[in-house]
Amino acid sequence: MLLSQIRTAQGGLAVVAREGTEAYEVRGASSVYDLAMHCATTGERLVDRIAALGLDAAVDLEKLYAEGRVLPPLTHPDPAHLHLTGTGLTHLGSASARNAMHAKSEDESDSMKMFRLGVEGGKPANGGAGVQPEWFYKGTGAALVAPGGPLVSPGFAEDGSEEPEIAGLYVIGPDGTPFRLGFALANEFSDHVMEKQNYLYLAHSKLRPASVGPELLIGELPEHVEGTSRILRDGGTVFEKPFLSGEANMSHSIANLEHHHFKYEIFRQPGDVHLHMFGTATLSFAEGIETRPGDMFEIVAPQFGLPLRNTLTGGPETRPEPRTAVRAL
């Protein structure tokens, strides 16, 4: 089952479920967040809760998408309680582009060392904790962009490029237990030119918006996910390449990545939402593509329903940007 959220004609939220080609509003569901928190509190399965509520009128999701009325599939009423985070160097092949960015000599780069550690210890067989992955923070719900919305690159940015990923979507239950709803497409938009200058700029390069959706796949992540990442410009395609995900194509298990995120008590605060991105091995930047304002990023994988599309805006062309002033009280 796929779930999505839409903005109604009256300005409220509605939840849409679909299996196959037909999509329907979920009766009485005010948001995916409310559905998930009900299930986290009662122990009811999400699909069972939806079945109990029942379905209302059919909706044309593609039409609503074109009208800008499709929202991220999981949001929080207070954006400060939504966390955008992720892990890198988690996919087989993901180290090659990163190593090329950061290798300064014949010595093995820190990126390659981190990747090798994941290959050797990212899928522990005994059910225990494996090696830690690279981890990064992107921001709160204020940085979450709806499918179809603009990904704004700030004036101080050196670059704004896509990262096609799969994200896990979670709520934290009343007792601090993380609950996973399922998985969705994500564009973990980053500044790779800034990152390439010095690996210690990685944290800066990730403080950019991200987009998740349009649809949430309830249940487990398929073992093998194959999708396509494109950049569309002036009616043509300037970049197109497949991307792979799912544990068959990863050096870490999903369980290991989840453990190393939620082991921190600060990420187990009751009622919070987490959208956690699991990394990628496909980057247009690694292929020498220079993005431009107006470029449309399109990420598609059949298991996840509608494509995730966002348009690049802003960037270095908006310079000069004034210094951010801080006033004393």
Side-chain angles (χ1 to χ4, degrees):
M1 179 181 288
L2 294 163
L3 279 188
S4 53
Q5 291 191 127
I6 62 170
R7 182 74 64 190
T8 67
Q10 293 74 36
L13 286 182
V15 178
V16 173
R18 76 179 177 104
E19 292 182 283
T21 58
E22 298 300 318
Y24 301 89
E25 286 192 25
V26 178
R27 184 179 301 128
S30 56
S31 69
V32 173
Y33 176 76
D34 287 345
L35 280 176
M37 290 305 297
H38 171 88
C39 293
T41 302
T42 64
E44 189 174 8
R45 293 177 66 239
L46 190 55
V47 291
D48 293 338
R49 179 60 178 165
I50 293 167
L53 290 171
L55 302 177
D56 271 336
V59 298
D60 186 338
L61 262 185
E62 294 199 44
K63 180 174 181 290
L64 294 172
Y65 198 177
E67 293 173 353
R69 290 169 54 189
V70 174
L71 304 173
L74 178 62
T75 51
H76 193 287
D78 179 358
H81 286 277
L82 187 152
H83 305 275
L84 286 169
T85 56
T87 47
L89 295 171
T90 54
H91 284 65
L92 302 174
S94 62
S96 56
R98 184 78 72 82
N99 189 60
M101 288 168 62
H102 298 295
K104 303 297 184 186
S105 68
E106 305 222 349
D107 295 334
E108 187 178 47
S109 71
D110 286 341
S111 294
M112 191 58 74
K113 291 176 184 176
M114 179 72 78
F115 173 73
R116 180 170 47 78
L117 287 171
V119 170
E120 295 170 355
K123 293 181 176 179
N126 60 3
V131 67
Q132 293 188 119
E134 175 192 62
W135 182 95
F136 57 84
Y137 174 73
K138 289 194 67 67
T140 67
L144 180 61
V145 175
L151 286 169
V152 180
S153 187
F156 57 78
E158 304 292 337
D159 166 59
S161 295
E162 85 300 336
E163 293 201 18
E165 306 195 13
I166 305 300
L169 282 66
Y170 308 84
V171 296
I172 309 301
D175 64 351
T177 300
F179 289 88
R180 184 198 326 118
L181 286 70
F183 300 88
L185 296 174
N187 188 337
E188 196 272 288
F189 183 66
S190 298
D191 186 335
H192 300 102
V193 172
M194 178 179 289
E195 177 193 342
K196 187 175 181 180
Q197 292 175 21
N198 189 305
Y199 192 71
L200 297 180
Y201 282 155
L202 177 69
H204 284 280
S205 75
K206 296 296 187 182
L207 290 173
R208 301 290 187 273
S211 187
V212 176
E215 298 182 83
L216 158 67
L217 176 66
I218 296 176
E220 298 298 321
L221 182 66
E223 186 75 7
H224 176 78
V225 174
E226 185 169 352
T228 303
S229 179
R230 298 185 183 92
I231 299 179
L232 309 176
R233 179 186 298 164
D234 298 330
T237 301
V238 297
F239 173 79
E240 180 171 331
K241 190 170 183 179
F243 71 92
L244 300 176
S245 193
E247 287 192 3
N249 303 296
M250 296 174 68
S251 52
H252 287 261
S253 66
I254 296 297
N256 192 52
L257 299 177
E258 290 175 333
H259 162 70
H260 284 296
H261 179 69
F262 289 112
K263 69 183 181 183
Y264 297 104
E265 187 176 355
I266 194 171
F267 292 147
R268 301 195 308 272
Q269 299 302 302
D272 279 5
V273 166
H274 291 256
L275 307 184
H276 189 73
M277 289 157 269
F278 292 116
T280 187
T282 301
L283 304 172
S284 67
F285 180 80
E287 306 290 326
I289 300 295
E290 295 184 9
T291 59
R292 303 176 188 171
D295 285 353
M296 176 180 283
F297 305 118
E298 182 179 77
I299 300 168
V300 58
Q303 298 102 319
F304 295 91
L306 295 176
L308 175 58
R309 300 187 185 101
N310 299 92
T311 300
L312 173 63
T313 65
E317 290 75 8
T318 64
R319 290 176 179 159
E321 181 164 320
R323 186 179 70 179
T324 302
V326 176
R327 297 176 62 184
L329 291 176

